[in-house]
Amino acid sequence: MLSLHSVNNDCFIPNWQTPLEKIPWNVLVIVLEGKVDYMINNKRLILEPGDIMFIPESSYRTGKNHNHTLHQKYTVLFHLTKEMRDIPEFLTMDDFTKLQSKNFNYIKHRAEKLFMEIRGNNTCNTFICDGILQELLGSIGRELQSSQVNPMKLKYAQTIQRYIVEHYREAIDINQLAKLIHRSPNYTIEVFKEITGYTPIQYIHHLRIMEGCSLLLATDMTIDNLSNYLGYYDASYFSRTFKKFISMSPKEYRNQESTVSSSEFV
C-alpha cells in the first residue's frame, strides 16, 4: 500500500538546495518551470520543465538550482509496500527513473490537486490523496511502457486526453472527440481505451467525480449547484454517477465527513 508523507511546492526559492543524504522516502519530482541540478547515486542530471523523476527510497541524493536560476516544482514523498498488486515496474527499480512526459498537463493537474488536498483538515482527505497519488504513479508507469504502443495510437489518445482534461466540465460528445483525430467515433473509443484503460466518457466522469469529492468537503455548494458546476445539469444523474464511483451519495459523503469532524469535539 501507499503511505503519503508530504507534498511540497518549491516555488522559485532563491539559493534552493538540498544536502547530500540517504533519503528515507520515495520521491516523485515534477518540474514546472526552470531547471534543477540533481546528483543521484553519484549520477548528475538536469531536470527541465515537463520532466518527471522518481527517486527510490534509500538513494543518495543532493540537489540545487541550476546555474543559480530559480525553478518551480512539486515533490511528493511517500512510502510503498511491495505487497501492492499490479505495481508499475519503475517503482520496483533500485535506480532513479526520468521521464519527459507527453501528458504533462494532466500530470501537473493531478499534482496540483494532490497539493491542495493534503492541506485539508478532513479525515477523507487522506483517502482522496492516496487515490490521487496512486493514479499519478499508474499514469507515469503506463507512459513509461508506451514505447511498446503504436506511436500513432498513442498520439491520438494523448490528443483526446489533453482536450478532456481542459474541458471535462463542459458537454463533450464522442463525435467532437473523433473530429480531433479525424477518425470514426468507434475507433476513437477503442484507441483511447486501449491506451488509457478508460473510455472517453468514463474518463470524463472520473475527473468530474474526483473534483466533486474535493468540492463537497471544501465548500458549502448545494448538490444542485455542484452538479451544474461539474457539467451534469441534472442533480439526480450526478448523484447516481457519484454513487457508482464512490459507493455513497454526495449527501452521504459530505455528512459522513461532518459526523467524523463533529465527533472529534465530543
Side-chain angles (χ1 to χ4, degrees):
M1 62 181 296
L2 294 170
S3 176
L4 181 59
H5 179 269
S6 63
V7 183
N8 306 302
N9 182 7
D10 299 326
C11 191
F12 306 113
I13 302 172
N15 303 315
W16 177 87
Q17 60 181 341
T18 183
L20 178 63
E21 63 177 340
K22 184 178 182 180
I23 55 175
W25 316 279
N26 297 292
V27 180
L28 183 66
V29 181
I30 301 169
V31 181
L32 307 182
E33 296 187 48
K35 295 183 180 181
V36 195
D37 277 354
Y38 275 103
M39 186 75 74
I40 312 293
N41 297 330
N42 293 319
K43 299 175 184 177
R44 183 176 183 240
L45 65 155
I46 299 173
L47 298 189
E48 302 182 344
D51 278 343
I52 298 169
M53 180 171 64
F54 170 73
I55 311 172
E57 184 176 337
S58 298
S59 297
Y60 286 90
R61 174 217 60 187
T62 182
K64 63 180 181 179
N65 285 330
H66 176 68
N67 290 339
H68 306 289
T69 59
L70 305 184
H71 71 273
Q72 183 182 15
K73 69 180 184 298
Y74 287 107
T75 54
V76 183
L77 282 57
F78 64 97
H79 288 294
L80 175 72
T81 59
K82 304 300 182 182
E83 289 75 18
M84 289 186 68
R85 300 177 59 185
D86 196 26
I87 186 172
E89 184 178 0
F90 78 95
L91 293 176
T92 67
M93 296 180 178
D94 294 329
D95 204 359
F96 69 86
T97 301
K98 178 175 174 289
L99 168 70
Q100 175 68 220
S101 176
K102 296 180 175 66
N103 295 313
F104 191 72
N105 284 339
Y106 169 74
I107 297 295
K108 176 184 175 183
H109 174 85
R110 303 312 291 153
E112 289 171 347
K113 179 63 68 176
L114 183 59
F115 179 74
M116 291 187 293
E117 283 292 341
I118 199 171
R119 277 149 181 76
N121 295 320
N122 299 306
T123 303
C124 285
N125 284 96
T126 300
F127 184 78
I128 294 171
C129 286
D130 287 347
I132 295 173
L133 176 57
Q134 188 167 337
E135 179 188 354
L136 263 174
L137 297 174
S139 298
I140 293 168
R142 180 173 286 157
E143 186 169 356
L144 286 166
Q145 295 175 338
S146 65
S147 59
Q148 303 173 6
V149 177
N150 181 296
M152 188 55 68
K153 287 184 176 181
L154 180 62
K155 181 179 178 181
Y156 289 154
Q158 290 170 345
T159 298
I160 296 164
Q161 186 180 44
R162 282 194 295 269
Y163 184 86
I164 292 174
V165 167
E166 293 172 2
H167 301 277
Y168 66 91
R169 291 194 291 112
E170 303 171 13
I172 301 175
D173 63 43
I174 195 61
N175 291 319
Q176 189 176 355
L177 298 177
K179 289 179 181 178
L180 293 175
I181 61 172
H182 308 289
R183 291 294 184 269
S184 71
N186 286 340
Y187 181 85
T188 300
I189 295 170
E190 290 172 4
V191 74
F192 190 79
K193 186 170 185 179
E194 179 181 339
I195 301 301
T196 69
Y198 293 96
T199 67
I201 298 303
Q202 288 171 338
Y203 189 62
I204 291 167
H205 286 314
H206 171 75
L207 293 178
R208 288 178 174 181
I209 297 305
M210 291 302 98
E211 182 79 1
C213 286
S214 299
L215 293 173
L216 282 166
L217 300 183
T219 75
D220 58 358
M221 293 174 69
T222 66
I223 304 302
D224 283 346
N225 289 341
L226 188 59
S227 173
N228 288 332
Y229 176 79
L230 293 173
Y232 285 106
Y233 309 112
D234 181 338
S236 61
Y237 178 63
F238 164 64
S239 295
R240 291 196 301 272
T241 305
F242 188 95
K243 190 168 185 177
K244 181 178 180 181
F245 277 78
I246 308 299
S247 299
M248 64 180 73
S249 70
K251 184 176 180 180
E252 290 169 337
Y253 184 83
R254 174 178 274 168
N255 287 344
Q256 181 186 59
E257 179 56 31
S258 298
T259 301
V260 170
S261 299
S262 297
S263 66
E264 297 175 357
F265 299 95
V266 175

